Every structure is written in C-alpha cells, then in structure tokens.
Amino acid sequence: MNLILTAAILTATCVSLAVPASGQELVATGPGGSLIQHARMASNARLRNTNVRFTGQCASACTLFLNVPSSQSCITRGTSFVFHSASGSNRAFNNWGTDYLMTQYPSWVQNWINANGGLDRRLLHMDYHYAAQFIPTCNTSAATHANS
C-alpha cells in the first residue's frame, strides 16, 4: 500500500498509521495514498487535538491535514504541498473524492487552488513561502510550535 502520511511520535523511532495521543506530534509528509484512510486520520488528529508537523513534501491525500487548525500545526522550512484531483477505481469515486478534498481544505487553500486552475490531473505545487503565511513555522524544538 502506498502511504502519503507518516504518523510518527517524534520522540520515538516507530512509525504507525495510528494518530498519536493528544500532546504528541504527528508528522505529515509523503507522496500519496488512500483518501479515505487519510481523511479518517486527519479527523482523528483534529478531535484528539494532536499536533501536526508538516515537513518535506506533503502530496495528494496528505494535504487533508491542512484542515487541522493552525493552533495544532506547524510547517518546517522547505515544506511544499502537491494537489491534484482524486484518482481511484472509478469516475464517480474520483468526482466525490475531488469534491470532498475541496470541502475539507481551509479557505486559504481553496482560494489558492481555484486561483491556480482548480483540481484536475495536473499537479499544483504550493511552496513553503505561501503556506507559511497561514501555518506557523515550527520552532527548532521538535515538540513545540511557533506562536505566530
């Protein structure tokens, strides 16, 4: 299975698909994966008040973690995001998945996607400099977030 999100407790070396408990941190990064699985994980992260650290390239369904409140998230320098329409087993699911993605993104992401032609098969690349206007930059300490 191709995963787009590595959920890791930063103080441990294990990697898991489970969302860590509140007070711990989940690292959002990766090349792509299951929309449904990552929708569930993003929802659990919000509900459990889990901190999310964006690092590296967060592509495809990983971008669902952008709907975690900025008070629960931070972005490391150089992070980027890649967006595209959903692609799965059939057209109906792809249409539903693409609509779902757009409804889950915060307005600043929706506006950026729409200004760049909307979600389709093309890869849209959002860089750190744009995203950092809306997501606090991570402190150098692995367990804390910037309060900007």
Side-chain angles (χ1 to χ4, degrees), residues 15-96:
V15 174
S16 168
L17 286 177
V19 173
S22 181
Q24 295 176 327
E25 192 165 74
L26 180 140
V27 177
T29 190
S34 167
L35 176 63
I36 293 171
Q37 185 176 30
H38 289 89
R40 186 177 68 239
M41 291 174 64
S43 177
N44 285 339
R46 281 190 317 280
L47 292 172
R48 294 180 182 173
N49 205 29
T50 301
N51 291 326
V52 174
R53 174 181 288 259
F54 292 102
T55 188
Q57 186 177 75
C58 176
S60 193
C62 176
T63 60
L64 282 170
F65 284 89
L66 287 166
N67 75 5
V68 171
S70 62
S71 61
Q72 283 176 238
S73 61
C74 71
I75 185 172
T76 60
R77 295 197 187 283
T79 295
S80 64
F81 300 91
V82 179
F83 303 88
H84 61 84
S85 59
S87 59
S89 58
N90 63 60
R91 178 178 276 174
F93 179 80
N94 295 345
N95 291 338
W96 172 86

Side-chain angles (χ1 to χ4, degrees), residues 93-142:
F93 179 80
N94 295 345
N95 291 338
W96 172 86
T98 300
D99 290 343
Y100 178 79
L101 285 166
M102 286 300 287
T103 65
Q104 295 305 297
Y105 293 138
S107 60
W108 65 269
V109 174
Q110 291 176 14
N111 293 339
W112 183 89
I113 289 170
N114 289 330
N116 285 280
L119 291 180
D120 57 27
R121 292 184 170 268
R122 295 170 303 125
L123 300 180
L124 299 176
H125 296 267
M126 178 190 289
D127 67 13
Y128 164 81
H129 297 290
Y130 183 81
Q133 297 175 59
F134 305 95
I135 305 170
T137 300
C138 300
N139 288 337
T140 54
S141 168

